[in-house]
């Protein structure tokens, strides 16, 4: 779970970018914090970098494949 202390530095967004699931290894459409939809593992991605590959971390059988969901971004539009 992403943490923060000072809410004044964050704005809530209704952008659809936060609803999309991204496949492993694709260029991250936005920089920021991403969460694995299947297991909750979180990562941070800089502008212009690709999301981690399918072998980034292991899932127990039945959990499903890695899919990355944007959690927080400074440029989600
Ligand atoms: Zn995962």
């Amino acid at each position: 779970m992403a943490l923060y202390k000072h809410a004044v530095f964050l704005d809530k967004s209704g952008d659809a970018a936060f609803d999309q699931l991204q496949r492993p290894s694709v260029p991250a459409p936005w920089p920021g914090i991403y969460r694995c939809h299947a297991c909750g593992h979180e990562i941070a991605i800089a502008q212009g970098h690709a999301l981690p590959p399918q072998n980034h971390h292991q899932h127990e059988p039945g959990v499903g494949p890695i899919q990355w969901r944007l959690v927080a971004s400074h440029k989600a539009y």
Side-chain angles (χ1 to χ4, degrees):
M1 188 68 71
L3 302 176
Y4 69 94
K5 184 171 183 178
H6 303 291
V8 66
F9 297 138
L10 298 174
D11 281 328
K12 184 164 176 59
S13 171
D15 197 298
F18 294 94
D19 302 324
Q20 299 173 12
L21 296 178
Q22 307 293 335
R23 296 191 324 274
S25 300
V26 302
W30 306 274
I33 299 172
Y34 285 77
R35 179 180 189 276
C36 177
H37 183 65
C39 76
H41 188 98
E42 290 178 341
I43 55 154
I45 293 288
Q47 178 84 45
H49 286 238
L51 293 166
Q54 183 61 49
N55 64 359
H56 174 260
H57 61 278
Q58 300 299 313
H59 287 165
E60 295 296 324
V63 172
I66 293 175
Q67 296 182 88
W68 298 109
R69 180 195 296 268
L70 184 64
V71 171
S73 178
H74 64 278
K75 193 178 180 183
Y77 53 81

